[in-house]
Amino acid sequence: PKNALLSTLLFLDQFFWLGRSGIYKKKEWADLISKISLYCWMSSSVCTSLVEIGELGRLSASMKKLEKDLKGIDKHEVGVFSGDICC
């Protein structure tokens, strides 16, 4: 949805600038298109924020699981995994 909203924003923004430059003469339609494109941008920003919050939650859960797994390994096993490599 985020990419679709951004694409819609960029598409409608072209008509907005046509209206601002005077090429497109219907001011009411240009204002309406401007509002719609603004809502598309706002919705896209909200979607991006929600995706980022979800990603932070997923990473937090992953870090907690990793921390729990590392606490379960005793010191001897840690020494074996991180021991010196001998040739």
Side-chain angles (χ1 to χ4, degrees):
K2 178 183 87 163
N3 290 336
L5 289 167
L6 277 177
S7 298
T8 305
L9 161 71
L10 294 173
F11 176 73
L12 293 177
D13 203 39
Q14 302 305 312
F15 292 103
F16 168 71
W17 285 109
L18 286 173
R20 296 281 277 187
S21 64
I23 296 171
Y24 188 70
K25 301 294 183 187
K26 294 184 179 182
K27 183 174 175 14
E28 298 84 22
W29 280 101
D31 289 342
L32 178 65
I33 288 172
S34 171
K35 287 180 184 178
I36 293 171
S37 69
L38 181 64
Y39 286 122
C40 288
W41 172 77
M42 183 181 63
S43 301
S44 174
S45 297
V46 168
C47 286
T48 301
S49 297
L50 291 175
V51 166
E52 292 297 323
I53 289 170
E55 185 69 18
L56 285 173
R58 187 189 66 78
L59 287 173
S60 176
S62 176
M63 291 297 291
K64 286 180 183 176
K65 182 178 182 278
L66 182 62
E67 209 174 281
K68 183 181 175 184
D69 290 344
L70 287 175
K71 284 182 181 177
I73 298 175
D74 64 295
K75 291 181 182 181
H76 175 69
E77 289 174 340
V78 171
V80 171
F81 290 123
S82 63
D84 296 329
I85 298 175
C86 182
C87 297

